Amino acid sequence: MRVVVDLSRCEGYAQCAFLAPDAFRMHGEEALMYDPNPDDVRRDQVLRAAAACPVQAILVDRLEGREGQVVRDAPVEASPA
C-alpha cells in the first residue's frame, strides 16, 4: 500500500493521526508526518483516516499484481465509531 498526502491541501485537522496513529502523526501543531508505505495490516485504519480527512488530502494506492501496476482503492465513507 502506498500513501500520498497533498501537504498543500492538508490543514492540520489531525483526524488521520487519531484514526491511524501508526501511519500519521502531527509534528507540532500543523506539520503532518506520515509513513508513505504502511503495512497492509494497517490498511483499514489508513482507509478510514483517508476517508475522514475533511479536505481529502490523502490518497491511498494498493500496489499489487505485475510490476508497476497500481490499483487505487475506492473512496471509503467514514463510519461513526
Side-chain angles (χ1 to χ4, degrees), residues 19-74:
L19 293 168
D22 292 330
F24 303 95
R25 68 182 177 281
M26 297 302 293
H27 183 69
E29 291 185 25
E30 295 183 10
L32 176 69
M33 298 179 71
Y34 67 98
D35 180 358
N37 297 301
D39 296 333
D40 283 335
V41 173
R42 294 174 184 30
R43 177 187 158 116
D44 287 340
Q45 288 181 340
V46 171
L47 289 175
R48 284 189 195 105
C53 180
V55 295
Q56 297 298 293
I58 303 169
L59 175 66
V60 179
D61 286 338
R62 183 174 29 130
L63 302 175
E64 66 177 41
R66 293 181 221 135
E67 194 172 318
Q69 181 180 2
V70 175
V71 179
R72 286 212 169 116
D73 280 318

